[in-house]
Amino acid sequence: GVKDHHRSVHWQHGLLLDNGLHGRALLTMEGNHITVTVRAAYPHNLLARLTEDIRAYVEDFWQGLEVRVMVPCAERCPDDRPGQGVFDTEALINVKAGRGTEISCSSCFKGHDIDSLMLDVVTRPLNTQERLVEAVAAVMSEQFTPMLQLAYATHDELTKQSQHIRELADVIDLRYRELMNALDDPARDGPRLITVQREPGTVLEPGWTHVRIRITLWCEHSRRPLHLLDNDPTVGVYVITVPKDWLIKAAPLLTAISRVLRSVLPLTGLLDVALPDSAKTWTAISDQLGDAEKTIEGLATATKPDASTEDATVVVSRHGTGHELDEASIRRLHQIVKEQDPGFGGLQRVNDRGRYRWIHPQYLTSYQQGG
């Protein structure tokens, strides 16, 4: 029934979703319970996306209706009946906050590790600050570096879609979505996918208190720079002078955005059959982003904070150490670009399931009713 809907099977209280490289999911509804079952090489990503989307849909459509996310006990709980014992995720979080590590099931009466139960669950952070720190820290972590390197080393293997490659693709996609969602509030006023390169200094711009930067806007649908989509090197590209201390403050966030884009480029390049020499194109873009990251990181580490740049050094940590990392950096970038180009290079803002996206006009039909 995939190619011919007349031969497909439909039912009232169920839905089967095929997400290609990222696996399949079965959604069933009984009474006021929605059960989501996922099969994938790395199920965490697809399950997290569906859980988050269902919560958003319900809370947006039925305002005031409480959504409770439950996780099942072990697969045999009890008597080979999966899901007979369930745990409220809010209760698990509260036990964990009280330094508890296990919780007992009311059906099988066994103790279960809380971290294992919560492995696939998306929980809402306490605030947007916490969410942003978590997302940036995950992208900047040592564990993410080999994934980024492997994504390029195994590009030729991507078409084989082995379980290992599928899992790698899912982890990368999860990190990308986490960072995008963490910047959801600023997306109301401008795009999130903005990369920055430092331009070489000139006689008039010695780079002592100010530096010249090159700003590039990207489409949040295709994950491609605008100048590539328009085949015009000037579209969505701006060269401007900014205070050095601001660039240092913004370094962690700018580096994280660039880094996560570099990680998704091999997957995007694989699927982008419309572009000639696709592999060469995304490899060249990746090299530029890598050089930009090194330059920005070098500037931040080489500059010692003084009275004017005391808040410049930012330590990104899940535990919140160091100076605050907030949305001010991306909002300031919006202001800078607006001064040069109020239309953001022609990017169009669309509402996608309650969230804003800034996309190239050629993808508008994908977000229109029935598109």
Side-chain angles (χ1 to χ4, degrees), residues 136 138-141 144-149 152 179 193-199 213-214 216 218 247-248 250-266 282-302:
V136 173
V139 174
M140 301 295 289
S141 69
F144 191 70
T145 300
M147 292 182 189
L148 194 156
Q149 296 171 340
Y152 285 87
L179 187 59
L193 293 188
I194 304 178
T195 56
V196 171
Q197 296 171 262
R198 186 185 178 190
E199 289 282 285
I213 61 173
R214 178 181 296 270
T216 302
W218 295 58
L247 184 59
I248 295 172
L253 181 57
L254 296 177
T255 303
I257 293 174
S258 176
R259 191 175 170 87
V260 77
L261 275 172
R262 270 205 301 141
S263 71
V264 302
L265 277 174
W282 59 251
T283 300
I285 297 173
S286 174
D287 291 342
Q288 293 175 3
L289 292 177
D291 291 341
E293 292 165 27
K294 292 177 183 178
T295 302
I296 294 176
E297 290 174 348
L299 175 67
T301 56

Side-chain angles (χ1 to χ4, degrees), residues 173-185:
D173 185 65
L174 179 62
R175 295 291 169 252
Y176 171 83
R177 288 191 310 102
E178 286 176 342
L179 187 59
M180 292 289 282
N181 290 345
L183 294 171
D184 194 46
D185 286 344

Side-chain angles (χ1 to χ4, degrees), residues 122-144:
V122 171
T123 57
R124 286 178 284 194
L126 296 177
N127 51 54
T128 55
Q129 164 69 20
E130 181 183 88
R131 186 168 195 166
L132 183 58
V133 171
E134 289 277 350
V136 173
V139 174
M140 301 295 289
S141 69
E142 294 181 359
Q143 290 79 8
F144 191 70

Side-chain angles (χ1 to χ4, degrees), residues 38 76 102 167 176 184 255 277 289 291 306 318 330 350 354 362 370:
V38 169
R76 300 177 180 272
E102 286 193 352
E167 182 173 335
Y176 171 83
D184 194 46
T255 303
D277 298 325
L289 292 177
D291 291 341
D306 53 31
R318 284 184 169 84
I330 198 75
V350 296
Q362 72 182 38

Side-chain angles (χ1 to χ4, degrees), residues 44 47 69-75 77 85-89 91-93 95-96 101-105 108 110-123:
H44 311 67
L47 187 58
V69 179
M70 317 289 287
V71 292
C73 186
E75 292 183 1
C77 171
V86 292
F87 303 92
D88 191 320
T89 55
L92 295 177
I93 293 172
V95 174
K96 184 75 174 178
T101 59
E102 286 193 352
I103 192 168
S104 296
C105 175
C108 66
K110 295 179 180 179
H112 297 276
D113 180 66
I114 293 177
D115 288 337
S116 297
L117 292 171
M118 295 287 288
L119 187 61
D120 300 331
V121 180
V122 171
T123 57

